[in-house]
Coordinates of all heavy atoms in Angstrom, one line a residue:
M1 N 87.2 57.1 -36.8 CA 88.2 58.0 -37.4 C 89.5 57.9 -36.5 O 89.4 57.6 -35.3 CB 87.8 59.4 -37.4 CG 86.8 59.8 -38.5 SD 86.6 61.6 -38.5 CE 84.8 61.6 -38.7
T2 N 90.6 58.1 -37.1 CA 91.9 58.1 -36.4 C 92.0 59.4 -35.6 O 91.3 60.4 -35.9 CB 93.1 57.9 -37.4 OG1 93.1 59.1 -38.2 CG2 93.0 56.7 -38.2
S3 N 93.0 59.5 -34.8 CA 93.2 60.8 -34.0 C 93.6 61.9 -35.0 O 93.2 63.0 -34.7 CB 94.3 60.6 -33.0 OG 95.5 60.2 -33.5
L4 N 94.3 61.6 -36.1 CA 94.6 62.6 -37.1 C 93.3 63.2 -37.7 O 93.1 64.4 -37.8 CB 95.5 62.1 -38.1 CG 95.8 63.0 -39.3 CD1 96.5 64.3 -38.9 CD2 96.7 62.3 -40.4
A5 N 92.5 62.3 -38.1 CA 91.2 62.7 -38.7 C 90.3 63.4 -37.7 O 89.6 64.3 -38.0 CB 90.4 61.4 -39.3
E6 N 90.4 63.0 -36.4 CA 89.6 63.6 -35.4 C 90.0 65.1 -35.2 O 89.2 66.0 -35.0 CB 89.6 62.8 -34.1 CG 88.9 61.5 -34.2 CD 89.1 60.6 -33.0 OE1 90.0 60.9 -32.1 OE2 88.5 59.5 -33.0
E7 N 91.4 65.3 -35.2 CA 91.9 66.6 -35.0 C 91.5 67.5 -36.2 O 91.0 68.6 -36.0 CB 93.4 66.6 -34.9 CG 94.0 67.9 -34.6 CD 94.1 68.9 -35.7 OE1 94.4 68.5 -36.9 OE2 94.0 70.1 -35.5
I8 N 91.6 67.0 -37.4 CA 91.2 67.7 -38.6 C 89.7 68.0 -38.6 O 89.3 69.1 -38.9 CB 91.6 67.0 -39.9 CG1 93.2 67.0 -40.0 CG2 91.0 67.7 -41.1 CD1 93.7 66.1 -41.1
R9 N 88.9 67.0 -38.2 CA 87.5 67.2 -38.0 C 87.2 68.3 -37.0 O 86.3 69.2 -37.3 CB 86.8 66.0 -37.6 CG 85.3 66.1 -37.6 CD 84.6 64.8 -37.1 NE 83.2 64.8 -37.3 CZ 82.3 65.4 -36.5 NH1 82.7 66.0 -35.4 NH2 81.0 65.3 -36.8
G10 N 87.9 68.3 -35.9 CA 87.7 69.3 -34.9 C 88.0 70.7 -35.4 O 87.3 71.7 -35.1
Y11 N 89.1 70.8 -36.2 CA 89.4 72.1 -36.8 C 88.3 72.6 -37.7 O 87.9 73.7 -37.7 CB 90.8 72.0 -37.5 CG 91.1 73.3 -38.3 CD1 91.6 74.4 -37.6 CD2 90.9 73.4 -39.6 CE1 91.9 75.6 -38.2 CE2 91.1 74.6 -40.3 CZ 91.7 75.7 -39.6 OH 91.9 76.8 -40.3
V12 N 87.9 71.7 -38.6 CA 86.8 72.1 -39.6 C 85.5 72.5 -38.8 O 84.9 73.5 -39.2 CB 86.5 70.9 -40.5 CG1 85.3 71.1 -41.4 CG2 87.7 70.7 -41.5
V13 N 85.2 71.8 -37.8 CA 84.0 72.1 -37.0 C 84.1 73.5 -36.4 O 83.3 74.4 -36.5 CB 83.6 71.1 -36.0 CG1 82.6 71.6 -35.0 CG2 83.2 69.8 -36.6
A14 N 85.3 73.7 -35.8 CA 85.5 75.0 -35.0 C 85.6 76.2 -36.0 O 85.1 77.3 -35.7 CB 86.8 74.9 -34.2
E15 N 86.2 76.0 -37.1 CA 86.4 77.1 -38.1 C 85.3 77.4 -39.0 O 85.0 78.5 -39.4 CB 87.7 76.9 -38.9 CG 89.0 77.0 -38.0 CD 89.2 78.4 -37.4 OE1 89.0 79.4 -38.1 OE2 89.5 78.5 -36.2
F16 N 84.6 76.3 -39.4 CA 83.6 76.4 -40.5 C 82.2 76.1 -40.1 O 81.2 76.4 -40.8 CB 84.0 75.6 -41.7 CG 85.4 76.0 -42.2 CD1 86.5 75.2 -41.9 CD2 85.6 77.1 -43.0 CE1 87.7 75.5 -42.4 CE2 86.8 77.4 -43.5 CZ 87.9 76.7 -43.2
L17 N 82.0 75.3 -39.0 CA 80.7 74.8 -38.7 C 80.3 75.1 -37.2 O 79.5 74.4 -36.6 CB 80.6 73.3 -38.9 CG 80.8 72.9 -40.4 CD1 80.9 71.4 -40.4 CD2 79.6 73.3 -41.2
D18 N 80.9 76.1 -36.6 CA 80.7 76.4 -35.2 C 79.2 76.6 -34.9 O 78.5 77.5 -35.5 CB 81.5 77.6 -34.8 CG 81.5 77.8 -33.3 OD1 81.4 76.8 -32.5 OD2 81.5 79.0 -32.8
G19 N 78.6 75.8 -34.1 CA 77.2 75.9 -33.7 C 76.3 75.2 -34.6 O 75.1 75.2 -34.4
E20 N 76.7 74.6 -35.7 CA 75.9 73.9 -36.6 C 75.9 72.4 -36.3 O 76.8 71.9 -35.7 CB 76.3 74.1 -38.0 CG 76.2 75.6 -38.4 CD 76.5 75.8 -39.9 OE1 76.2 74.9 -40.7 OE2 77.1 76.9 -40.2
D21 N 74.9 71.7 -36.8 CA 74.8 70.2 -36.6 C 75.9 69.6 -37.5 O 76.0 69.8 -38.7 CB 73.4 69.7 -37.1 CG 73.2 68.2 -36.9 OD1 74.0 67.6 -36.2 OD2 72.3 67.7 -37.5
T22 N 76.7 68.8 -36.8 CA 77.8 68.1 -37.5 C 77.6 66.6 -37.6 O 78.6 65.9 -37.9 CB 79.1 68.5 -36.9 OG1 79.1 68.0 -35.5 CG2 79.4 69.9 -36.9
A23 N 76.4 66.1 -37.4 CA 76.2 64.7 -37.5 C 76.6 64.1 -38.8 O 77.0 62.9 -38.9 CB 74.7 64.4 -37.2
D24 N 76.4 64.8 -39.9 CA 76.7 64.3 -41.3 C 78.2 64.4 -41.6 O 78.6 64.0 -42.7 CB 75.9 65.0 -42.3 CG 74.4 64.7 -42.2 OD1 74.0 63.7 -41.6 OD2 73.6 65.5 -42.7
L25 N 79.0 65.0 -40.8 CA 80.4 65.3 -41.1 C 81.2 64.0 -40.9 O 81.9 63.9 -39.9 CB 80.9 66.4 -40.3 CG 82.3 66.9 -40.7 CD1 82.4 67.3 -42.1 CD2 82.7 68.1 -39.8
T26 N 81.1 63.1 -41.8 CA 81.9 61.9 -41.8 C 83.2 62.1 -42.5 O 83.4 63.2 -43.1 CB 81.1 60.7 -42.5 OG1 80.9 61.1 -43.9 CG2 79.8 60.5 -41.8
A27 N 84.1 61.1 -42.5 CA 85.4 61.2 -43.1 C 85.3 61.4 -44.6 O 86.2 62.0 -45.2 CB 86.2 59.9 -42.9
D28 N 84.2 61.0 -45.3 CA 84.1 61.2 -46.7 C 83.1 62.2 -47.2 O 82.8 62.4 -48.3 CB 83.8 59.8 -47.4 CG 82.5 59.2 -46.9 OD1 81.9 59.7 -45.9 OD2 82.0 58.3 -47.5
F29 N 82.6 63.0 -46.2 CA 81.7 64.1 -46.5 C 82.4 65.2 -47.4 O 83.5 65.6 -47.0 CB 81.2 64.7 -45.2 CG 80.2 65.9 -45.4 CD1 78.8 65.6 -45.5 CD2 80.6 67.2 -45.4 CE1 77.9 66.6 -45.7 CE2 79.7 68.2 -45.5 CZ 78.3 67.9 -45.7
D30 N 81.8 65.5 -48.5 CA 82.5 66.4 -49.4 C 82.3 67.9 -49.0 O 81.2 68.5 -49.1 CB 81.9 66.3 -50.8 CG 82.7 67.0 -51.9 OD1 83.1 68.1 -51.7 OD2 83.0 66.3 -52.9
L31 N 83.3 68.4 -48.4 CA 83.2 69.8 -47.8 C 83.1 70.9 -48.9 O 82.4 71.9 -48.6 CB 84.5 70.0 -47.0 CG 84.7 69.1 -45.8 CD1 86.2 69.2 -45.3 CD2 83.8 69.4 -44.7
I32 N 83.7 70.7 -50.0 CA 83.6 71.7 -51.1 C 82.2 71.7 -51.8 O 81.6 72.7 -51.9 CB 84.8 71.5 -52.1 CG1 86.1 71.7 -51.4 CG2 84.6 72.4 -53.3 CD1 87.3 71.3 -52.2
T33 N 81.8 70.5 -52.2 CA 80.5 70.4 -52.9 C 79.4 70.8 -52.0 O 78.4 71.4 -52.5 CB 80.3 68.9 -53.4 OG1 81.3 68.6 -54.3 CG2 79.0 68.8 -54.1
N34 N 79.5 70.5 -50.7 CA 78.4 70.9 -49.8 C 78.5 72.3 -49.3 O 77.7 72.7 -48.4 CB 78.3 69.8 -48.7 CG 77.8 68.5 -49.2 OD1 76.7 68.4 -49.6 ND2 78.6 67.5 -49.1
G35 N 79.4 73.1 -49.8 CA 79.5 74.5 -49.4 C 80.1 74.8 -48.0 O 80.0 75.9 -47.6
V36 N 80.7 73.8 -47.4 CA 81.3 74.1 -46.1 C 82.6 74.9 -46.2 O 82.8 75.8 -45.5 CB 81.6 72.7 -45.3 CG1 82.3 73.0 -44.0 CG2 80.2 72.0 -45.1
V37 N 83.4 74.5 -47.2 CA 84.6 75.1 -47.5 C 84.7 75.7 -48.9 O 84.3 75.0 -49.9 CB 85.8 74.1 -47.3 CG1 87.1 74.7 -47.7 CG2 85.8 73.6 -45.9
D38 N 85.1 77.0 -49.0 CA 85.2 77.6 -50.3 C 86.7 77.8 -50.6 O 87.6 77.2 -49.8 CB 84.5 78.9 -50.4 CG 84.9 79.9 -49.4 OD1 86.0 79.7 -48.7 OD2 84.3 81.0 -49.2
S39 N 87.1 78.5 -51.6 CA 88.5 78.7 -52.0 C 89.3 79.3 -50.8 O 90.4 78.9 -50.5 CB 88.7 79.4 -53.2 OG 88.1 80.7 -53.1
L40 N 88.7 80.3 -50.2 CA 89.4 80.9 -49.0 C 89.5 79.9 -47.9 O 90.6 79.9 -47.2 CB 88.7 82.1 -48.5 CG 89.3 82.9 -47.4 CD1 90.7 83.3 -47.7 CD2 88.5 84.1 -47.0
G41 N 88.5 79.1 -47.7 CA 88.6 78.0 -46.7 C 89.7 77.0 -46.9 O 90.4 76.6 -46.0
V42 N 89.9 76.7 -48.2 CA 91.0 75.8 -48.5 C 92.3 76.4 -48.1 O 93.2 75.7 -47.6 CB 91.0 75.4 -50.1 CG1 92.2 74.7 -50.4 CG2 89.7 74.6 -50.4
V43 N 92.5 77.7 -48.4 CA 93.7 78.4 -48.0 C 93.9 78.3 -46.5 O 95.0 78.1 -46.0 CB 93.7 79.8 -48.5 CG1 94.9 80.6 -48.0 CG2 93.7 79.9 -50.0
Q44 N 92.8 78.5 -45.7 CA 92.9 78.4 -44.3 C 93.3 77.0 -43.8 O 94.1 76.9 -42.9 CB 91.5 78.8 -43.6 CG 91.2 80.2 -43.7 CD 89.8 80.4 -43.1 OE1 88.8 80.6 -43.8 NE2 89.7 80.4 -41.8
I45 N 92.7 76.0 -44.5 CA 93.1 74.7 -44.1 C 94.5 74.4 -44.5 O 95.2 73.7 -43.7 CB 92.1 73.7 -44.9 CG1 90.7 73.8 -44.2 CG2 92.6 72.2 -44.8 CD1 89.6 73.1 -45.0
V46 N 95.0 74.8 -45.6 CA 96.4 74.6 -46.0 C 97.3 75.2 -44.9 O 98.3 74.6 -44.5 CB 96.7 75.2 -47.4 CG1 98.2 75.3 -47.7 CG2 96.0 74.4 -48.5
S47 N 97.0 76.4 -44.5 CA 97.8 77.1 -43.5 C 97.8 76.3 -42.2 O 98.8 76.1 -41.6 CB 97.2 78.5 -43.3 OG 97.9 79.2 -42.3
H48 N 96.6 75.9 -41.8 CA 96.5 75.1 -40.6 C 97.3 73.8 -40.6 O 98.1 73.5 -39.7 CB 95.0 74.7 -40.3 CG 94.9 73.8 -39.2 ND1 95.1 74.1 -37.8 CD2 94.5 72.4 -39.2 CE1 94.8 73.0 -37.1 NE2 94.5 72.0 -37.9
L49 N 97.2 73.1 -41.7 CA 97.9 71.8 -41.9 C 99.4 72.0 -41.9 O 100.2 71.3 -41.3 CB 97.5 71.1 -43.1 CG 96.0 70.6 -43.2 CD1 95.7 69.9 -44.5 CD2 95.7 69.7 -42.0
S50 N 99.8 73.1 -42.6 CA 101.2 73.4 -42.6 C 101.8 73.7 -41.3 O 102.9 73.2 -40.9 CB 101.4 74.7 -43.5 OG 102.8 75.1 -43.5
R51 N 101.1 74.5 -40.5 CA 101.6 74.9 -39.1 C 101.5 73.7 -38.2 O 102.5 73.4 -37.5 CB 100.7 76.0 -38.5 CG 101.0 77.4 -39.0 CD 100.3 78.4 -38.2 NE 98.9 78.0 -37.8 CZ 97.8 78.3 -38.5 NH1 98.0 78.9 -39.7 NH2 96.6 77.9 -38.1
T52 N 100.4 73.0 -38.2 CA 100.2 71.9 -37.2 C 101.1 70.7 -37.5 O 101.5 70.1 -36.5 CB 98.7 71.5 -37.2 OG1 97.9 72.7 -37.0 CG2 98.4 70.5 -36.2
Y53 N 101.3 70.4 -38.7 CA 102.0 69.1 -39.0 C 103.4 69.4 -39.6 O 104.0 68.5 -40.2 CB 101.2 68.2 -39.9 CG 99.9 67.9 -39.2 CD1 98.7 68.5 -39.6 CD2 99.9 67.0 -38.2 CE1 97.5 68.3 -38.9 CE2 98.7 66.7 -37.5 CZ 97.5 67.3 -37.9 OH 96.3 67.1 -37.2
S54 N 103.9 70.6 -39.6 CA 105.2 71.0 -40.0 C 105.4 70.6 -41.5 O 106.5 70.0 -41.8 CB 106.3 70.4 -39.1 OG 106.1 70.9 -37.8
I55 N 104.5 70.9 -42.3 CA 104.6 70.6 -43.8 C 104.9 72.0 -44.4 O 104.0 72.9 -44.3 CB 103.3 70.0 -44.3 CG1 102.9 68.7 -43.6 CG2 103.5 69.7 -45.8 CD1 101.5 68.2 -43.9
P56 N 106.0 72.1 -45.1 CA 106.3 73.4 -45.8 C 105.2 73.7 -46.8 O 104.7 72.9 -47.5 CB 107.6 73.2 -46.5 CG 108.2 72.1 -45.7 CD 107.1 71.2 -45.2
V57 N 104.7 75.0 -46.8 CA 103.6 75.4 -47.7 C 104.0 75.1 -49.1 O 103.1 74.7 -49.9 CB 103.3 76.9 -47.5 CG1 102.3 77.3 -48.5 CG2 102.7 77.1 -46.1
D58 N 105.2 75.3 -49.5 CA 105.7 75.0 -50.8 C 105.5 73.5 -51.2 O 105.5 73.2 -52.4 CB 107.1 75.4 -51.0 CG 107.3 76.9 -50.9 OD1 106.3 77.7 -51.1 OD2 108.4 77.4 -50.7
D59 N 105.4 72.6 -50.2 CA 105.3 71.2 -50.5 C 103.8 70.8 -50.5 O 103.5 69.6 -50.6 CB 106.0 70.4 -49.4 CG 107.5 70.5 -49.5 OD1 108.0 71.1 -50.5 OD2 108.2 70.1 -48.6
I60 N 102.9 71.7 -50.4 CA 101.5 71.4 -50.4 C 100.8 71.8 -51.7 O 100.7 72.9 -52.0 CB 100.7 72.1 -49.2 CG1 101.3 71.7 -47.9 CG2 99.2 71.8 -49.3 CD1 100.7 72.4 -46.7
P61 N 100.6 70.7 -52.5 CA 99.9 71.1 -53.8 C 98.5 71.5 -53.6 O 97.7 70.8 -52.9 CB 100.0 69.7 -54.6 CG 100.1 68.7 -53.5 CD 100.8 69.3 -52.4
L62 N 98.1 72.6 -54.2 CA 96.7 73.1 -54.0 C 95.8 72.5 -55.0 O 95.2 73.1 -55.8 CB 96.7 74.7 -54.2 CG 97.5 75.4 -53.1 CD1 97.5 76.9 -53.4 CD2 96.9 75.1 -51.7
V63 N 95.6 71.2 -54.7 CA 94.7 70.4 -55.5 C 93.4 70.2 -54.7 O 93.5 69.6 -53.6 CB 95.3 69.0 -55.9 CG1 94.4 68.1 -56.6 CG2 96.6 69.2 -56.6
P64 N 92.3 70.7 -55.2 CA 91.0 70.6 -54.4 C 90.8 69.2 -53.8 O 90.2 69.0 -52.7 CB 89.9 71.0 -55.3 CG 90.6 71.9 -56.3 CD 92.0 71.3 -56.4
D65 N 91.1 68.1 -54.5 CA 90.8 66.8 -54.1 C 91.5 66.4 -52.8 O 91.1 65.6 -52.0 CB 91.1 65.7 -55.1 CG 90.1 65.8 -56.3 OD1 89.0 66.3 -56.0 OD2 90.4 65.2 -57.3
N66 N 92.7 67.1 -52.5 CA 93.4 66.9 -51.2 C 92.7 67.4 -50.0 O 92.9 67.1 -48.9 CB 94.8 67.5 -51.3 CG 95.7 66.7 -52.2 OD1 95.5 65.6 -52.5 ND2 96.8 67.4 -52.6
F67 N 91.7 68.3 -50.3 CA 91.0 69.1 -49.2 C 89.5 68.9 -49.3 O 88.8 69.6 -48.6 CB 91.4 70.6 -49.3 CG 92.9 70.7 -49.3 CD1 93.5 71.0 -50.5 CD2 93.7 70.5 -48.2 CE1 94.9 71.1 -50.6 CE2 95.1 70.7 -48.3 CZ 95.7 71.0 -49.5
R68 N 89.1 68.0 -50.1 CA 87.6 67.8 -50.3 C 86.9 67.2 -49.1 O 85.7 67.4 -48.9 CB 87.4 67.0 -51.6 CG 86.0 66.9 -52.0 CD 85.9 66.3 -53.4 NE 86.5 67.1 -54.4 CZ 86.0 68.2 -54.9 NH1 84.9 68.7 -54.5 NH2 86.6 68.9 -55.9
S69 N 87.6 66.4 -48.3 CA 87.0 65.7 -47.2 C 88.0 65.5 -46.1 O 89.2 65.7 -46.3 CB 86.5 64.3 -47.6 OG 87.6 63.5 -47.9
I70 N 87.5 65.2 -44.9 CA 88.4 64.9 -43.8 C 89.3 63.7 -44.1 O 90.5 63.8 -43.8 CB 87.6 64.7 -42.5 CG1 86.9 66.1 -42.1 CG2 88.5 64.2 -41.4 CD1 85.9 65.9 -41.1
G71 N 88.8 62.7 -44.7 CA 89.6 61.6 -45.1 C 90.7 61.9 -46.1 O 91.8 61.4 -45.9
A72 N 90.4 62.7 -47.0 CA 91.4 63.2 -48.0 C 92.5 64.0 -47.4 O 93.7 63.8 -47.7 CB 90.7 63.9 -49.2
M73 N 92.1 64.9 -46.5 CA 93.1 65.7 -45.8 C 94.0 64.8 -44.9 O 95.2 65.0 -44.8 CB 92.4 66.8 -44.9 CG 91.9 67.9 -45.8 SD 91.2 69.2 -44.7 CE 89.5 68.8 -44.8
S74 N 93.4 63.8 -44.2 CA 94.1 62.9 -43.4 C 95.2 62.1 -44.2 O 96.3 62.0 -43.8 CB 93.2 62.0 -42.6 OG 92.4 62.6 -41.8
A75 N 94.7 61.6 -45.3 CA 95.6 60.9 -46.2 C 96.7 61.7 -46.7 O 97.9 61.3 -46.7 CB 94.8 60.3 -47.4
F76 N 96.4 63.0 -47.1 CA 97.4 63.9 -47.5 C 98.5 64.2 -46.5 O 99.7 64.1 -46.7 CB 96.8 65.2 -48.0 CG 97.8 66.3 -48.2 CD1 98.6 66.3 -49.3 CD2 98.0 67.3 -47.3 CE1 99.6 67.2 -49.5 CE2 99.0 68.2 -47.4 CZ 99.8 68.2 -48.6
V77 N 98.0 64.5 -45.2 CA 99.0 64.7 -44.1 C 99.8 63.5 -43.9 O 101.0 63.6 -43.7 CB 98.2 65.2 -42.9 CG1 99.1 65.2 -41.7 CG2 97.6 66.6 -43.1
E78 N 99.2 62.3 -43.8 CA 100.0 61.1 -43.6 C 101.1 60.9 -44.7 O 102.2 60.6 -44.3 CB 99.1 59.9 -43.6 CG 98.2 59.8 -42.3 CD 97.2 58.7 -42.3 OE1 97.1 58.0 -43.3 OE2 96.5 58.5 -41.3
D79 N 100.7 61.1 -45.9 CA 101.7 61.0 -47.0 C 102.8 62.1 -46.9 O 103.9 61.8 -47.1 CB 101.0 61.1 -48.4 CG 100.1 59.9 -48.7 OD1 100.3 58.8 -48.0 OD2 99.3 60.0 -49.6
A80 N 102.4 63.3 -46.6 CA 103.3 64.4 -46.6 C 104.3 64.2 -45.4 O 105.5 64.6 -45.5 CB 102.6 65.7 -46.5
T81 N 103.8 63.8 -44.3 CA 104.7 63.6 -43.1 C 105.6 62.4 -43.3 O 106.7 62.4 -42.8 CB 103.9 63.5 -41.8 OG1 102.9 62.5 -41.9 CG2 103.3 64.9 -41.5
K82 N 105.1 61.4 -44.0 CA 106.0 60.2 -44.3 C 107.1 60.6 -45.2 O 108.3 60.1 -45.1 CB 105.2 59.0 -44.9 CG 104.3 58.3 -43.9 CD 103.6 57.2 -44.6 CE 102.5 56.6 -43.7 NZ 101.7 55.6 -44.5
A83 N 106.8 61.4 -46.2 CA 107.8 61.8 -47.2 C 108.9 62.7 -46.5 O 110.0 62.7 -47.0 CB 107.1 62.6 -48.3
A84 N 108.5 63.4 -45.5 CA 109.5 64.3 -44.8 C 110.4 63.6 -43.9 O 111.5 64.1 -43.6 CB 108.7 65.4 -44.0
V85 N 110.1 62.3 -43.6 CA 110.9 61.6 -42.6 C 112.1 61.0 -43.3 O 112.3 60.8 -44.4 CB 110.1 60.5 -41.9 CG1 111.0 59.6 -41.1 CG2 109.1 61.1 -41.1

C-alpha cells in the first residue's frame, strides 16, 4: 500500500477496529459489506478525509463506493487533491 492508503488504513483501524484482528484488512476489503463501517462511519470518514487532506466537504460526493474500501478512499483522495491543484 502507498503511504496514503497506509494512513487511511491506520485511521480505519484506530476508529473502527481497535483491538481487533486486522490481518484481512487489505486495500480491497469491503468495509461496508463486512460491517466495519455503517452510514455514521461513512460520515466520520468523510469528515476525517476533509480535514486531513483539505478537501471541502461540499466537494465530497457521498457515494458509498468512494468509501467502500481503503483502495477506493485512496483513489478518491488522490483524484480530489489533483482536482484542487
